[in-house]
Amino acid sequence: MVDRSVGRTRAAVVGTGLIGGSLLLGLRAAGLDVAGWDPDPTTRAQAREQGATSPDRLDDAVADRDVVFLCGPLPTLPETLLRVAALTGDGCVLTDVGSTKAELAGFADGHGLAHRFVPGHPMAGTDRAGLTAAVPGLFETAAWVLCPTGPGLPAFRWLAGLLLAAFRSRVVPMSASGHDAVVALSSHVPHLLAGALAGAVHRAELGDAVLALAAGSFRDGTRVAGSPPQRTANMLLGNREQVLRQLDGVRAYLDELAGALRADDPAGLVGLYRGAATARTGLDGRTLRAAARDFPLRDTGDAELAYLLALGADGGHLSGCRVADGRVTYTAHLPTAVL
Amino acid sequence: MVDRSVGRTRAAVVGTGLIGGSLLLGLRAAGLDVAGWDPDPTTRAQAREQGATSPDRLDDAVADRDVVFLCGPLPTLPETLLRVAALTGDGCVLTDVGSTKAELAGFADGHGLAHRFVPGHPMAGTDRAGLTAAVPGLFETAAWVLCPTGPGLPAFRWLAGLLLAAFRSRVVPMSASGHDAVVALSSHVPHLLAGALAGAVHRAELGDAVLALAAGSFRDGTRVAGSPPQRTANMLLGNREQVLRQLDGVRAYLDELAGALRADDPAGLVGLYRGAATARTGLDGRTLRAAARDFPLRDTGDAELAYLLALGADGGHLSGCRVADGRVTYTAHLPTAVL
């Protein structure tokens, strides 16, 4: 964190598949000095063919960097975090892009890394995989969850500023457990429902006819059921408790819908669908208002942390984070209903 | 059924909203002599403004027609069927476009209309409603379910030929109850799942944050939850028993997925998702092979009926239906896995 101007920042990306590779290309396009490393020699060679720096040894890639992005598969991240922490100075910010956050955040905390590890999760991806599918613009204006903590506030501010400058991301500050609960509903449970619907058709006697008459609702509702099964299984297992907890809420609503249908109760059904339509309409109809807030840097940080976590929980995000004159100034965007 | 060449056929459409209006425009574009009628005077005036024939009295619209398409809201169809049957000759084929079939088919049978009422359901529509949203090309190459019965075979053959000639539809022959079971899975249960997911988010404490981080899986999986609640409720109530029955199968699969997740069983999850992926991949990867079959007209019709119902149940459709020299010749398309 010696040099805070984006253009001079030295970054490293460990694990250069789709996400890490896109970061490697995107950070370079933003003017950073960036090195990538991947355990696979072929991937390292591909990165070099694309003009990126990708040394053969991990320590050559991460030594003397201001920030290292950990981008390997979820189960490998704890070990990678320890390796990279040992190879970098205490001022080097570490972050990851894994799809769940609480487990790794707790692991980092337990290893005394909470002051420089900022759990992260960019909400971007494609149906493809690998460095050859990477694109530098993958994160432009995407939502990017970062998990601030008391000891990690300075690292959070710096990393948020970097992502905003490099990618114009919508930085969403959230607690690690809050993030995991939210993505359980916004991504993981939808995968369960899609799997159940497509799976039931796979088993149904009339399955072939169902495919022949598939309406848009079926096509949309089963799309992610066509994803690679192993990848989906890993994702769900990585957020097991939260997925099961949020599934209970969805099942409860489904039970009420089925109950109203069984009872031949049009008013009950309409009422339940009104609630559903409100949420769905909110997805495309969200209007946000900007508001600035600043905090003194020489403070406990409690008020700043509470502000940030409330912002993310309320569906808001940051578009600005500036540290100057002993204060941090955030530009926040909140749904108007909440403001 | 006096004149079987499409160009000279006299058709009527009763109820000229989105579907009926598109039929009115589409049949006219195909060269038929077609009249439309709607209980709403404004809609009739709109139809005339578009150059269509739309008399003020129902009997003027349907008298002396070869075929009448009943296109009003589902609950109005039994009464409309009886009115139109009384206003038309015994050789006039009657059909409908309602989203469920068993109830109306039974009603028609009970009123001695099985020989000339062919239950139908074109799988086409848009998110809009009303004659102003109607487009003549709505049914081009769409799947169009028709329900043949023993006494209704001649009417089925003639109507299938008309739809194939006018719209190049994929005519899917199905029993009325088979149709209702299939659309329960291919359309109605997906609406329940979408409602449950969006409804649970509406209730969730972190609902705003879920919308802010909505992944493609959530966006796709909740799309139809934004439909008008009353319309969705009517659709589900119109196919109540089948929807509840098919929902059981989906819930059973969901239970197995949740059980494998709870048991931390990657192999179990992967196996279940393999089945789901097979069905979903089949949606876009269906390859069909054409095969012709013919039957003597002067027969019990049992073999022909069995052939037609098996074709639809297996996910196939008709692209040709020709009656000549005392025989009917069908051109069928069946998924290669079934052939």
Side-chain angles (χ1 to χ4, degrees):
Chain A
M1 284 191 282
V2 177
D3 187 339
R4 295 187 179 210
S5 76
V6 169
R8 309 286 298 280
T9 301
R10 290 167 52 80
V13 177
V14 175
T16 53
L18 171 68
I19 299 292
S22 295
L23 258 175
L24 182 63
L25 302 177
L27 291 170
R28 193 179 56 163
L32 276 76
D33 173 359
V34 56
W37 185 83
D38 196 277
D40 174 29
T42 310
T43 301
R44 296 197 298 268
Q46 283 173 343
R48 290 192 286 262
E49 277 163 29
Q50 298 198 33
T53 303
S54 190
D56 281 328
R57 288 158 35 97
L58 175 61
D59 48 359
D60 290 337
V62 302
D64 298 323
R65 297 282 155 177
D66 301 311
V67 57
V68 181
F69 294 84
L70 312 175
C71 305
L74 203 56
T76 68
L77 291 179
E79 189 194 324
T80 308
L81 175 64
L82 293 188
R83 278 186 73 191
V84 172
L87 293 168
T88 51
D90 201 50
C92 172
V93 171
L94 307 174
T95 187
D96 77 310
V97 299
S99 60
T100 59
K101 302 268 62 81
E103 203 172 303
L104 191 59
F107 180 85
D109 194 26
H111 285 79
L113 293 169
H115 64 294
R116 66 177 179 121
F117 175 65
V118 185
H121 183 201
M123 307 299 288
T126 74
D127 286 345
R128 301 176 61 201
L131 178 61
T132 50
V135 284
L138 189 63
F139 309 106
E140 289 292 331
T141 75
W144 195 314
V145 176
L146 292 181
C147 304
T149 60
L153 263 182
F156 167 83
R157 294 181 200 120
W158 180 82
L159 184 59
L162 178 72
L163 298 178
L164 292 168
F167 300 123
R168 295 177 300 141
S169 302
R170 292 178 280 124
V171 170
V172 180
M174 281 192 160
S175 69
S177 61
H179 165 277
D180 291 357
V182 165
V183 295
L185 257 179
S186 73
S187 167
H188 303 165
V189 170
H191 278 77
L192 279 179
L193 299 181
L197 183 55
V201 169
H202 178 60
R203 271 186 195 159
E205 210 178 321
L206 288 165
D208 286 320
V210 171
L211 298 184
L213 297 190
S217 57
F218 180 85
R219 187 169 285 277
D220 288 349
T222 56
R223 188 181 56 82
V224 292
S227 302
Q230 186 68 60
R231 189 172 81 183
T232 304
N234 283 346
M235 185 186 73
L236 296 171
L237 290 165
N239 197 20
R240 195 163 63 102
E241 278 182 43
Q242 283 290 357
V243 173
L244 290 169
R245 186 173 308 160
Q246 301 299 332
L247 178 61
D248 283 344
V250 175
R251 267 180 164 151
Y253 211 95
L254 184 61
D255 286 344
E256 291 183 41
L257 283 168
L261 181 58
R262 188 171 290 112
D264 215 348
D265 174 12
L269 272 176
V270 168
L272 289 165
Y273 269 103
R274 280 221 184 95
T278 302
R280 171 63 202 191
T281 310
L283 191 58
D284 292 318
R286 294 190 345 130
T287 53
L288 303 170
R289 281 179 57 188
R293 267 297 281 280
D294 68 314
F295 299 90
L297 293 180
R298 298 201 174 278
D299 190 37
T300 61
D302 290 351
E304 182 181 348
L305 189 59
Y307 159 80
L308 289 169
L309 297 181
L311 175 67
D314 286 342
H317 67 267
L318 299 171
S319 69
C321 171
R322 195 167 54 87
V323 173
D325 305 325
R327 300 187 78 80
V328 56
T329 305
Y330 292 110
T331 308
H333 298 260
L334 260 181
T336 44
V338 174
L339 266 175
Chain B
M1 284 190 282
V2 177
D3 188 339
R4 296 187 177 211
S5 75
V6 169
R8 306 287 297 282
T9 301
R10 289 166 53 80
V13 177
V14 176
T16 53
L18 170 70
I19 299 293
S22 296
L23 258 175
L24 182 64
L25 302 177
L27 291 170
R28 193 179 55 162
L32 276 75
D33 173 359
V34 57
W37 185 84
D38 196 278
D40 173 29
T42 310
T43 301
R44 296 198 298 268
Q46 282 173 343
R48 289 192 287 261
E49 278 164 26
Q50 297 198 33
T53 303
S54 190
D56 281 329
R57 288 159 34 94
L58 175 61
D59 49 359
D60 289 337
V62 303
D64 298 324
R65 298 283 155 176
D66 301 310
V67 58
V68 181
F69 293 84
L70 311 175
C71 304
L74 203 57
T76 68
L77 291 179
E79 189 195 325
T80 308
L81 175 65
L82 293 188
R83 280 185 72 192
V84 172
L87 291 168
T88 51
D90 201 49
C92 172
V93 171
L94 307 173
T95 188
D96 77 309
V97 300
S99 59
T100 59
K101 303 269 61 79
E103 203 172 303
L104 191 60
F107 180 86
D109 195 25
H111 286 80
L113 293 169
H115 64 294
R116 66 178 179 121
F117 175 64
V118 185
H121 183 202
M123 306 301 288
T126 74
D127 287 345
R128 301 177 58 200
L131 178 60
T132 50
V135 285
L138 189 63
F139 308 106
E140 289 291 332
T141 73
W144 195 313
V145 175
L146 292 180
C147 304
T149 60
L153 262 183
F156 166 83
R157 293 180 201 120
W158 180 82
L159 185 57
L162 179 71
L163 297 178
L164 292 168
F167 301 122
R168 294 177 300 141
S169 302
R170 291 178 282 124
V171 170
V172 180
M174 280 191 161
S175 70
S177 61
H179 165 275
D180 291 357
V182 165
V183 294
L185 257 180
S186 74
S187 168
H188 302 166
V189 169
H191 277 79
L192 279 179
L193 298 181
L197 182 56
V201 169
H202 178 59
R203 271 186 193 158
E205 211 179 319
L206 289 165
D208 286 319
V210 172
L211 298 184
L213 297 191
S217 57
F218 181 85
R219 187 168 286 277
D220 288 348
T222 56
R223 187 181 58 81
V224 292
S227 302
Q230 186 68 60
R231 188 172 81 183
T232 304
N234 284 346
M235 184 186 74
L236 295 171
L237 290 164
N239 198 18
R240 194 162 64 100
E241 277 180 44
Q242 283 291 356
V243 174
L244 290 169
R245 187 172 309 159
Q246 301 299 333
L247 178 61
D248 283 344
V250 175
R251 269 180 163 151
Y253 212 95
L254 184 60
D255 286 344
E256 291 183 42
L257 283 168
L261 181 57
R262 189 171 290 110
D264 214 348
D265 173 12
L269 272 176
V270 167
L272 289 164
Y273 269 103
R274 281 222 183 94
T278 302
R280 170 63 203 192
T281 310
L283 191 56
D284 292 317
R286 293 190 346 130
T287 52
L288 303 170
R289 281 180 58 188
R293 266 299 279 281
D294 67 315
F295 299 91
L297 293 180
R298 299 202 172 278
D299 190 38
T300 60
D302 291 351
E304 181 181 349
L305 190 59
Y307 159 80
L308 290 169
L309 297 181
L311 175 66
D314 287 342
H317 67 267
L318 298 171
S319 69
C321 170
R322 195 167 54 89
V323 173
D325 306 326
R327 301 188 77 81
V328 55
T329 305
Y330 293 109
T331 309
H333 299 258
L334 260 181
T336 43
V338 173
L339 265 175

